[in-house]
Amino acid sequence: MNFGQPAGVALVIGSGGGLGAALVAQLSGAAGAPERFQTVLALGRNSLPAIDYGDEASLKSAADWVAVQCAEQQLELRLIVVASGFLHGPQGQPERSFSQLDAGYLTHVFQVNAIGPALVMKHFLPLLPRQGRCVAAFLSAKVGSIGDNALGGWYGYRASKAALNQLVKTASIEMTRRNRQSVCVALHPGTVDTALSQPFAKTGLKVRPAEEAASDLVNVLKGLTPADTGSLLDYQGVTLPF
Ligand SMILES: NC(=O)c1ccc[n+]([C@@H]2O[C@H](COP(=O)([O-])OP(=O)(O)OC[C@H]3O[C@@H](n4cnc5c(N)ncnc54)[C@H](OP(=O)(O)O)[C@@H]3O)[C@@H](O)[C@H]2O)c1
């Protein structure tokens, strides 16, 4: 998608992560970056204001702050990228078997991968303009595809990303009613060298640097049209099955 000139404001949520930070750099016009927004806003658990998916009030406050930034700069919010996500951590590890299913891990993985992004939809999608091109992109994962699941395992992560994909599809329909030029998609970044993938990177599997993955994702964002809305796309722009 060409955001036109001036491109306006881009917002990255989950900016402290490997892909989130690389996307902020890319959208800000890092060396060789194809896209440059006048303002790139970055929100995460350690930004000011900070967002916390366990505290909806923090999302509302951050959305109010974004609205003020746009108004003060007299710029439209044209792009929201949600780069947050959880696979492993103190709350648990991805399951190999149904015997390992754990309510605490499931609650957390759904909180970060599905409920948090849903609340982002609630508080941030209304900030997108009612006219002109605008994009909301949510980083998902190919393993969230039910149609593509041939290996099993990773119950919670797969299911939470499948839930995210359904939320994206549903929001895309509502967004189109508000603005026919809007696009709302789920994106699979490929396997990327970040803290999230690090314990699972196998020899032989193609693992790309975050900078390269962010560049690929921005290229996909640029190429999106309203016909793509509601889709799950990979980093090459190929549509994946739900
Ligand atoms: N890396 C891969 O190979 C790969 C493959 C497929 C899909 N993905 C997806 O790509 C996205 C980015 O992942 P990444 O590789 O960049 O992982 P990462 O480096 O571990 O970053 C994770 C991100 O999630 C946010 N986050 C984690 N827990 C959170 C919580 N409780 N509340 C709010 N935010 C939280 C962090 O935000 P802050 O630190 O800014 O607060 C951070 O931005 C995720 O959706 C992931 O599922 C990654």
Side-chain angles (χ1 to χ4, degrees), residues 13-25:
I13 293 179
S15 57
L19 274 161
L23 282 160
V24 171

Side-chain angles (χ1 to χ4, degrees), residues 14 16-19 45 83-85 112 139-140 157 161 190-192 194 196-197:
L19 274 161
R45 287 170 295 174
S84 52
V112 179
L139 294 197
S140 184
Y157 187 73
K161 290 294 191 180
T191 305
V192 184
T194 67
L196 182 137
S197 66

Side-chain angles (χ1 to χ4, degrees), residues 9-53:
V9 177
L11 167 66
V12 178
I13 293 179
S15 57
L19 274 161
L23 282 160
V24 171
Q26 189 69 212
L27 294 167
S28 303
E35 192 65 77
R36 190 186 175 90
F37 285 81
Q38 277 119 314
T39 300
V40 180
L41 302 176
L43 291 173
R45 287 170 295 174
N46 296 309
S47 63
L48 206 66
I51 55 156
D52 172 357
Y53 284 167

Side-chain angles (χ1 to χ4, degrees), residues 134-156:
C134 60
V135 173
F138 295 78
L139 294 197
S140 184
K142 193 176 175 185
V143 296
S145 164
I146 295 172
D148 187 68
N149 185 357
L151 285 177
W154 291 22
Y155 286 78

Side-chain angles (χ1 to χ4, degrees), residues 19-20 23 81-85 113 137-141 161 164 185-189 217:
L19 274 161
L23 282 160
V81 184
V82 178
S84 52
N113 293 346
F138 295 78
L139 294 197
S140 184
K161 290 294 191 180
L164 173 64
V185 289
L187 296 177
H188 167 60
L217 290 169

